[in-house]
Amino acid sequence: MRHLAVAAVLLTPSAGLTDPITLIDPAAFAWETTAEGVAFAPLHGDRFQGAYQAMVRLPARTVSPPHVKSASMFGVLLQGEMIHYAGDQDPETAQKIGPGAFYSIPGGLGHVSACVSAGPCIAYLSQDAAFDFVPVTP
């Protein structure tokens, strides 16, 4: 009898839920490319208005200038190899990450991000507040 009650709960439409399941095929990503050649494909939210999720594509050998972001950033690298390091760290000692790796960069931390592979880097990104990019002097 207990199994029937669980099945009934699982099969009952959720009252009050109006958002459908979202599925986006990679061929349908709406890539927006910046002047620097970095492309963003929005998945959820508006990166300039608040918390968001997006895909990001960096050209091979792209190295950001030292910068901070107000919000914490979380990512999973899907393609290529990257390094992320604090502004005072030697880039030669930075840990290289590859596909499947998770990274987290706290808001307010001066850092550099680089796609160090011969091909482009693609990552899933999530930030807990709006995107910004504030250059800092090392």
Side-chain angles (χ1 to χ4, degrees):
M1 189 58 130
R2 183 170 182 252
H3 295 293
L4 290 176
V6 170
V9 168
L10 292 175
L11 295 175
T12 302
S14 299
L17 294 181
T18 58
D19 292 338
I21 293 174
T22 301
L23 304 171
I24 306 171
D25 189 274
F29 288 163
W31 292 101
E32 302 164 357
T33 304
T34 68
E36 298 78 23
V38 176
F40 289 89
L43 300 174
H44 182 78
D46 179 333
R47 76 179 190 273
F48 297 114
Q49 300 299 316
Y52 74 93
Q53 298 172 47
M55 302 297 291
V56 64
R57 182 177 58 216
L58 295 89
R61 310 288 184 215
T62 299
V63 179
S64 75
H67 64 285
V68 296
K69 292 183 171 65
S70 299
S72 296
M73 176 174 278
F74 309 93
V76 176
L77 187 60
L78 302 173
Q79 177 182 309
E81 294 181 316
M82 294 188 77
I83 58 174
H84 301 277
Y85 57 94
D88 59 352
Q89 183 183 357
D90 178 357
E92 296 298 320
T93 64
Q95 179 181 346
K96 189 183 298 185
I97 59 172
F102 169 80
Y103 58 95
S104 172
I105 303 170
L109 176 68
H111 67 281
V112 173
S113 295
C115 175
V116 296
S117 55
C121 293
I122 298 176
Y124 162 81
L125 292 182
S126 176
Q127 276 193 277
D128 52 13
F131 175 89
D132 59 3
F133 186 101
V134 182
V136 297
T137 304

